[in-house]
Amino acid sequence: MIKVLITGSSGYIGNCLFQYLVSQKINVIGIDKNINIETKNNYKLNLLNKKKLDSLLKKINPEIVIHLAAQSLVDQSINKKKYYDNNNRATINLINSMKKNNIKNIIFSSTAAVYKSKNKPIFEYDKLYPKSNYAKSKLHCENLIRKKNSLNYIILRFFNVCSALKRKRIFGEFHKPETHLIPTVVYKCLMKQNVFIYGNNFNTKDKTCVRNYIHIHDICDAIFKSVKLIQKGKKSYIFNIGSN
């Protein structure tokens, strides 16, 4: 049975992915700095702690690392240092530790925000022009991974992830504070509160923005297919993961 390590396993995507891969009979180990109770399959670890990271990767010895852990809020008010530490430094530590422990395969969650804005479908070969600190940090991490000749990589550029998986429990979005549109709309409806939509000068029927959403189940399935693909040998791919 293939052994996979997920970084950021207690986050929205990480939590859903963990359950999904377990259902696909994959041996999954999770690490996250926000885990409250450690188990044999989930470890509390901050990727900035290089010594502990090296020790744990040596102990776990996964065949593939799925790197989800990141400062993910697209918020320009967040200190740039948080993005640098939680995204760039953490990724540098991870890929260096992978090299030390002879782990050659990584699947990296990036973002469609690395592309230059356009009103037409976005393809993997389109121009890159990240504007937010979040997108800039993600593109920097992509470049770090691509420059490591020792790594087989698949980079997945996610569009707007939404919804939940239903297993024995429901695994879905729950952020503090909540900044994502769909859970905000659901919550406001339940509380009978108003929802405010901003922007009225877009080239659409009602002049408001149109966003590309993708269901969390499809994200998990795309990562699962990436696991199968990278198992086949030396691979270096970049894929957009959106609704079409």
Side-chain angles (χ1 to χ4, degrees), residues 61-187:
N61 191 30
E63 295 171 62
I64 300 171
V65 173
I66 301 172
H67 185 27
L68 303 178
Q71 179 75 41
S72 61
L73 285 180
V74 184
D75 184 346
Q76 292 298 84
S77 69
I78 294 176
N79 190 310
K80 284 185 181 180
K81 189 175 184 301
K82 279 194 173 183
Y83 289 104
Y84 179 76
D85 286 345
N86 295 321
N87 295 3
N88 300 5
R89 276 184 60 205
T91 300
I92 290 168
N93 289 350
L94 178 63
I95 59 181
N96 286 341
S97 188
M98 287 176 65
K99 185 175 181 180
K100 282 183 187 177
N101 289 284
N102 199 31
I103 302 164
K104 298 184 179 298
N105 302 309
I106 186 168
I107 297 168
F108 177 63
S109 68
S110 189
T111 172
V114 298
Y115 292 107
K116 185 176 181 179
S117 297
K118 58 186 289 193
N119 291 325
K120 294 180 180 179
I122 294 173
F123 297 94
E124 287 84 352
Y125 50 76
D126 280 340
K127 187 172 182 178
L128 303 177
Y129 190 72
K131 291 184 178 179
S132 67
N133 291 328
Y134 167 64
K136 288 173 184 176
S137 70
K138 280 292 190 178
L139 183 57
H140 183 71
C141 292
E142 284 190 21
N143 292 333
L144 289 170
I145 291 167
R146 293 173 70 181
K147 287 176 183 176
K148 282 287 181 180
N149 294 328
S150 60
L151 287 177
N152 304 321
Y153 66 81
I154 296 179
I155 293 169
L156 304 176
R157 291 174 178 159
F158 298 155
F159 284 76
N160 300 288
V161 188
C162 66
S163 203
L165 294 183
K166 191 171 183 181
R167 294 286 186 266
K168 292 180 180 178
R169 290 167 52 205
I170 294 176
F171 297 91
E173 291 187 85
F174 185 72
H175 308 96
K176 286 186 178 182
E178 186 56 75
T179 62
H180 293 193
L181 179 61
I182 291 179
T184 297
V185 170
V186 172
Y187 175 81

Side-chain angles (χ1 to χ4, degrees), residues 119 197-210:
N119 291 325
I197 299 174
Y198 300 97
N200 58 6
N201 60 348
F202 292 90
N203 185 24
T204 59
K205 288 182 180 179
D206 65 357
K207 300 301 181 183
T208 65
C209 182
V210 174

Side-chain angles (χ1 to χ4, degrees), residues 39 49 61:
T39 67
N49 187 332
N61 191 30

Side-chain angles (χ1 to χ4, degrees), residues 13 17 68 107-115 122-124 142 154-162 211-227 229 237-244:
I13 296 176
L17 180 65
L68 303 178
I107 297 168
F108 177 63
S109 68
S110 189
T111 172
V114 298
Y115 292 107
I122 294 173
F123 297 94
E124 287 84 352
E142 284 190 21
I154 296 179
I155 293 169
L156 304 176
R157 291 174 178 159
F158 298 155
F159 284 76
N160 300 288
V161 188
C162 66
R211 307 194 81 194
N212 184 313
Y213 281 96
I214 178 165
H215 197 286
I216 184 64
H217 184 278
D218 294 326
I219 287 285
C220 293
D221 192 48
I223 296 173
F224 173 62
K225 288 184 168 120
S226 297
V227 167
L229 180 59
Y237 291 120
I238 296 175
F239 296 121
N240 289 341
I241 308 297
S243 61
N244 60 8

